[in-house]
Amino acid sequence: MGIIFNEKSGEFHLFNNEISYIMKILRNGQMGQLYFGKKVPVKETYDYLVENRYRPVTAYVYENEYSFTLEHLRQEYPAYGTTDFRMPAVEIAQKNGSTITNFTYVSHKIYPGKPKLSGLPATYTEDDSEADTLEILLCDKLLNVEMTLLYTIFQNENAIARSVRFKNNSEEKYQLTTAMSMSIDLPDDEYEWVQFSGAWGRERYVKDRKLQMGIQSVGSTRGASGHFHNPFVILKRPNADEFQGEAMGFSLVYSGNFLAQAEVDTYHVTRMMMGIHPMGFSWRLGTGDTFQTPEAVMVYSCEGMNGMSQTFHRLYRTRLARGYWRDKERPVLVNNWEATYFNFDEDKLIEIAKTAKEDGIELFVLDDGWFSTRCGETSGLGDWWANTDRLPNGIKGLSERIEGLGMKFGLWFELEMVNKDSELYRSHPDWILQTPGRSASHGRKQYVLDFARKEVVDYIYEMVAKILRESKISYIKWDMNRNITECYSAAYGADQQGEIFHRYILGVYDLYERLTSEFPEILFESCASGGGRFDPGMLYYAPQAWCSDDSDAVERLKIQYGSSYAYPISSVGAHVSIAPNHQVARNTPMKMRGDVAYFGAFGYELDLSRLSEEERALVKEQVAFVKKYRKLLHTGSYYRLKSPFEGNITAWAVVSEDKKQAIVGYYKVLNDVNCEYRRLYLQGLDENLCYEVEADGKPEGSFFGSEMMNIGLVTTDASAGENHVGEDACGDFWSRIYVLTAKEA
Ligand code: DGJ
């Protein structure tokens, strides 16, 4: 691994054993992009990739020359208006009304390891030998503004982390109005664009299309990454699939407004960029002021999208998620939300917890409705003290009772919000985000606290820390249930209102940082009406996230499958809920609900005391299964095998690092009659090892890895398509779990 600078050619080559990334200082001092892809040899120069030819109807940089135009040079961090006419990565508004910039190379630094990004989540190294970093300092001499492009290449992952830092060294004041985290000009447009889009209850559905000339983008301007589009996009070659071919993933480590955009020009060059959405953004750069963009992570794979996902999984599980829980086995939990909604008292909670304990569940989570006057959606948010009518012993007493049962206790918060009917709002009505003279829109009768203000964050911190200090709390579900409207902070002047969306997120990160530092052993699970802020930024603080409010087994196939493109399954909060399901009223068997939820951070979201004896017995089995296999499930390599977006059958698998064990989940939504004799082609096994295969706990036979990967594992159920009833009968919503264990030689 290394980063090499060739003085003579002015070229930077970042490489590890698998990938190369090559840039060049162009003739005019700006940075040019030459290559990103599979590793190529380190050479003095790749100058032949710089386009230098005459073209009609364009503009040229140098007088009397018809060869140097930024319209046709592939750039690293482009600006608009100096012969490039595409969308820029950077734009700075100046006093005289100009937005033209010219950042040219000044110097660079190469060093081992990776720097922290102040106040922002980012990937990290544990040891400097894991990565090398390049910082390229550029300056716009007229403005006297510095811009530093940061690149970190990881030794063992085909990933490059990028971000950009600005510093104003002048006496002038500027407005930074566009500051992308990354931009790359790719030489052609032979790609398919894959995005992860949906809405509440159906987050991160896989949507793909061929790249077209012009601009295509996804983004968010809601103040959160959102349910609608995830800050993650793949560009894959049309011939690439899950297991072979080129795929590049672009992921933004950020939880606020974002833009992911590909602009294909009519010469087929693809400009891919990602960063804070320029709409509604501007940052005042006064004398000495700096701005650091969030981090973007680019992953290159020539082993298809599974290869790409596995890189993201390892990187995000072990070098983005942090802290005490990062590598620990996650507790099996039960959450009371769908069991009781707002309708509970202490005895009811204890009853659920007792039943859960009997079933082997380790953590009881008390959801919304435990505090102040909160007995419904309209009041109490912001007042984080226990409602002693419902909980006479307070949170302290309840948590002690739960611990007394031999379980851990977890608690729900929605720290960024306030109801008008609350002590907090009555004392500080100016603490919400609202535009002077305009009405403030609500969502769920709640308003967004102005987390751009430190005093607001401080106040909330003290209130919540008090409960955490005095009670036995092992887990926090941090919810966030509305987006930001009329964004405006009373604490900032007119020239800083464009900063508020970002400052808000910095406030959220600050609160997370303080709470995770003071209470390092608390497991945080992030949540935003389900998966409304399911992004890498959150993973830095909370190693797991409630990925959707829709926990129907069939719906979850798509949601969890889509989430798996960027996110490790250890991060995907996945619970078994009641049937008929509360979102889609579907009746799936408990077995399928469990079989789907195994491939996530597992738990229950129902009143266990209302289940039948048979169901309770199954719950016990499920909990035992998770306890036995959760380490493998969360640390093994995850393979998508059959897509729920393409048919009736979904399959995925996890294979242990040493390839000696694997767990396969196989799901059929609707039964079919007289169907083919089906096989599932497994992946990632050791071809020479012979595995004992159990299907739903029963021996299925023993097969070599090469057999199951090439011939396939026969998955047809004995009863499929026959008029067959009995234990093996399969019907709608049918699933099976295969456990593969290598036989000792
Ligand atoms: C939305 C979350 O996604 C649910 O799980 C639940 O916590 C509710 N909020 C509570 O208000």
Side-chain angles (χ1 to χ4, degrees):
M1 176 194 51
I3 298 176
I4 285 177
F5 177 62
N6 190 295
E7 281 300 324
K8 216 163 134 204
S9 61
E11 289 178 20
F12 294 94
H13 192 148
L14 290 71
F15 62 94
N16 61 23
N17 288 335
E18 308 289 336
I19 60 171
S20 284
Y21 191 91
I22 308 175
M23 289 173 281
K24 184 179 182 73
I25 307 167
L26 299 172
R27 259 177 76 197
N28 68 343
Q30 294 185 6
M31 292 305 302
Q33 154 59 222
L34 298 187
Y35 177 74
F36 176 40
K38 199 168 165 61
K39 187 175 178 201
V40 292
V42 174
K43 280 177 43 179
E44 187 175 290
T45 182
Y46 280 91
D47 208 29
Y48 63 91
L49 295 174
V50 177
E51 188 183 322
N52 263 322
R53 48 181 286 216
Y54 168 77
R55 288 182 195 259
V57 195
T58 191
Y60 294 98
V61 170
Y62 298 109
E63 219 170 348
N64 302 325
E65 261 195 40
Y66 294 90
S67 55
F68 193 90
T69 169
L70 296 169
E71 185 168 10
H72 295 288
L73 283 167
R74 294 197 295 115
Q75 294 166 75
E76 199 50 31
Y77 200 71
Y80 164 80
T82 57
T83 75
D84 187 349
F85 303 97
R86 289 163 290 176
M87 297 298 281
V90 55
E91 199 155 54
I92 298 179
Q94 301 147 45
K95 204 163 119 196
N96 63 4
S98 167
T99 55
I100 297 297
T101 55
N102 180 22
F103 283 97
T104 55
Y105 173 84
V106 176
S107 62
H108 70 269
K109 287 199 286 202
I110 296 172
Y111 54 92
K114 183 171 191 298
K116 281 193 163 175
L117 303 187
S118 170
L120 283 165
T123 54
Y124 59 90
T125 52
E126 285 201 328
D127 183 307
D128 280 353
S129 65
E130 292 176 5
D132 278 332
T133 294
L134 164 66
E135 293 191 11
I136 305 175
L137 176 67
L138 301 113
C139 182
D140 182 309
K141 297 199 178 73
L142 185 66
L143 306 185
N144 200 3
V145 171
E146 283 178 1
M147 175 172 95
T148 306
L149 305 180
L150 290 100
Y151 299 82
T152 296
I153 182 160
F154 291 86
Q155 175 165 29
N156 295 321
E157 301 298 353
N158 298 339
I160 293 177
R162 292 180 57 177
S163 70
V164 182
R165 207 163 52 217
F166 293 88
K167 179 158 188 250
N168 179 8
N169 293 322
S170 78
E171 298 300 314
E172 290 291 324
K173 190 177 88 178
Y174 304 109
Q175 291 286 347
L176 183 62
T177 55
T178 300
M180 289 289 140
S181 296
M182 58 85 39
S183 177
I184 185 168
D185 286 353
L186 299 164
D188 64 78
D189 61 352
E190 285 296 304
Y191 291 103
E192 281 166 11
W193 158 281
V194 190
Q195 67 190 53
F196 298 86
S197 300
W200 174 87
R202 52 177 173 86
E203 296 91 340
R204 292 173 298 288
Y205 278 20
V206 184
K207 303 278 173 198
D208 56 4
R209 59 182 184 271
K210 191 174 162 358
L211 266 192
Q212 300 291 345
M213 277 179 190
I215 291 178
Q216 38 254 283
S217 71
V218 291
S220 166
T221 49
R222 309 171 157 268
S225 50
H227 296 89
F228 304 87
H229 302 292
N230 201 256
F232 176 61
V233 164
I234 301 170
L235 293 182
K236 68 179 260 301
R237 294 296 189 187
N239 66 357
D241 60 24
E242 283 288 359
F243 304 107
Q244 60 80 39
E246 274 192 324
M248 283 186 261
F250 301 91
S251 166
L252 191 65
V253 186
Y254 190 57
S255 313
N257 291 348
F258 76 93
L259 175 70
Q261 175 172 294
E263 177 169 4
V264 180
D265 70 16
T266 53
Y267 303 92
H268 301 280
V269 168
T270 302
R271 171 169 294 170
M272 177 70 209
M273 53 171 66
M274 198 170 222
I276 293 180
H277 204 304
M279 187 170 130
F281 169 81
S282 72
W283 195 269
R284 184 183 71 184
L285 275 185
T287 304
D289 283 352
T290 58
F291 182 76
Q292 168 69 56
T293 73
E295 176 167 290
V297 178
M298 313 187 308
V299 166
Y300 174 85
S301 161
C302 53
E303 289 169 345
M305 289 188 289
N306 256 290
M308 177 213 64
S309 296
Q310 286 174 8
T311 300
F312 275 114
H313 293 175
R314 282 188 303 267
L315 192 65
Y316 283 0
R317 183 169 57 76
T318 66
R319 294 294 180 269
L320 177 62
R322 302 174 295 170
Y324 179 83
W325 282 100
R326 186 189 77 181
D327 302 327
K328 291 226 161 24
E329 296 185 15
R330 307 287 165 72
V332 176
L333 66 82
V334 63
N335 177 307
N336 76 307
W337 179 241
E338 291 200 3
T340 64
Y341 294 103
F342 287 111
N343 187 16
F344 61 82
D345 58 18
E346 187 167 314
D347 289 343
K348 178 69 206 166
L349 301 177
I350 293 293
E351 183 191 323
I352 297 177
K354 271 188 180 153
T355 339
K357 172 67 188 166
E358 283 164 24
D359 296 347
I361 294 171
E362 298 155 304
L363 169 70
F364 173 80
V365 179
L366 172 53
D367 210 283
D368 196 354
W370 58 266
F371 49 95
S372 176
T373 56
R374 181 84 166 173
C375 296
E377 289 180 0
T378 56
S379 69
L381 278 177
D383 296 344
W384 298 107
W385 52 82
N387 174 342
T388 42
D389 289 342
R390 298 180 146 198
L391 307 174
N393 302 302
I395 288 297
K396 182 173 185 296
L398 176 64
S399 63
E400 283 167 3
R401 276 185 83 183
I402 300 284
E403 288 228 341
L405 298 174
M407 294 181 87
K408 295 291 179 194
F409 177 71
L411 197 56
W412 179 96
F413 288 95
E414 190 174 3
L415 300 172
E416 301 154 61
M417 301 292 158
V418 67
N419 288 121
K420 283 196 172 170
D421 186 359
S422 67
E423 294 299 313
L424 176 61
Y425 183 79
R426 281 186 281 274
S427 325
H428 299 284
D430 61 326
W431 275 13
I432 62 170
L433 292 170
Q434 58 184 334
T435 301
R438 309 261 171 218
S439 60
S441 313
H442 76 99
R444 212 191 186 200
K445 280 279 215 179
Q446 63 193 52
Y447 298 82
V448 185
L449 285 170
D450 183 356
F451 267 38
R453 292 166 76 159
K454 187 167 175 303
E455 68 269 31
V456 177
V457 177
D458 288 348
Y459 181 90
I460 298 291
Y461 172 71
E462 280 312 327
M463 214 180 344
V464 59
K466 181 169 179 292
I467 302 180
L468 302 183
R469 285 179 200 132
E470 66 192 22
S471 312
K472 293 184 180 305
I473 295 175
S474 305
Y475 162 107
I476 286 180
K477 178 176 173 186
W478 179 321
D479 204 350
M480 191 282 290
N481 285 302
R482 65 155 290 189
N483 291 147
I484 297 175
T485 53
E486 296 91 23
C487 181
Y488 188 99
S489 169
Y492 291 81
D495 58 348
Q496 288 193 279
Q497 292 304 324
E499 302 177 8
I500 304 307
F501 274 119
H502 182 58
R503 286 192 180 275
Y504 174 87
I505 288 294
L506 294 180
V508 172
Y509 291 153
D510 178 34
L511 185 57
Y512 255 118
E513 187 67 44
R514 288 198 239 169
L515 289 172
T516 50
S517 305
E518 185 176 340
F519 306 99
E521 293 188 13
I522 291 183
L523 171 61
F524 282 75
E525 176 153 354
S526 74
C527 171
S529 301
R533 213 162 52 180
F534 194 95
D535 59 59
M538 284 289 129
L539 274 188
Y540 186 68
Y541 305 98
Q544 58 191 60
W546 183 226
C547 82
S548 179
D549 275 344
D550 192 342
S551 47
D552 170 75
V554 176
E555 300 301 305
R556 274 300 181 114
L557 290 174
K558 286 186 178 155
I559 298 166
Q560 291 178 209
Y561 195 92
S563 304
S564 79
Y565 279 84
Y567 304 101
I569 64 171
S570 57
S571 71
V572 175
H575 298 173
V576 173
S577 59
I578 201 72
N581 175 269
H582 288 190
Q583 277 69 38
V584 289
R586 187 176 286 132
N587 247 310
T588 56
M590 180 102 170
K591 168 160 168 41
M592 185 187 191
R593 284 174 269 150
D595 287 356
V596 176
Y598 287 157
F599 293 82
F602 186 86
Y604 292 87
E605 187 98 8
L606 44 74
D607 187 346
L608 293 156
S609 64
R610 293 204 200 147
L611 298 182
S612 66
E613 279 304 302
E614 207 179 299
E615 285 171 322
R616 287 286 299 283
L618 187 50
V619 169
K620 288 195 178 87
E621 275 177 38
Q622 288 173 338
V623 173
F625 180 88
V626 171
K627 287 182 179 169
K628 183 165 177 196
Y629 291 113
R630 62 187 155 191
K631 186 152 190 262
L632 161 62
L633 285 162
H634 287 187
T635 60
S637 302
Y638 174 87
Y639 291 87
R640 289 178 297 273
L641 299 174
K642 275 185 103 48
S643 168
F645 297 97
E646 286 166 13
N648 190 34
I649 289 174
T650 301
W652 51 46
V654 171
V655 180
S656 67
E657 214 182 324
D658 64 6
K659 301 188 176 208
K660 291 195 171 153
Q661 270 201 317
I663 300 183
V664 182
Y666 184 83
Y667 314 89
K668 183 155 76 167
V669 175
L670 293 180
N671 202 6
D672 44 3
V673 68
N674 201 12
C675 59
E676 72 270 29
Y677 195 60
R678 289 204 172 99
R679 302 164 188 203
L680 179 66
Y681 300 96
L682 300 189
Q683 292 282 337
L685 302 175
D686 183 329
E687 48 186 41
N688 299 315
L689 282 180
C690 188
Y691 297 82
E692 296 283 11
V693 177
E694 279 184 2
D696 287 339
K698 294 189 199 122
E700 181 85 356
S702 48
F703 307 95
F704 282 97
S706 59
E707 242 180 302
M708 289 184 282
M709 292 192 290
N710 297 307
I711 298 174
L713 178 68
V714 173
T715 54
T716 298
D717 185 83
S719 72
E722 293 168 30
N723 183 12
H724 177 107
V725 282
E727 230 191 302
D728 291 337
C730 81
D732 294 345
F733 314 130
W734 177 86
S735 62
R736 186 178 267 170
I737 295 292
Y738 295 93
V739 176
L740 281 55
T741 312
K743 293 208 261 190
E744 293 305 326

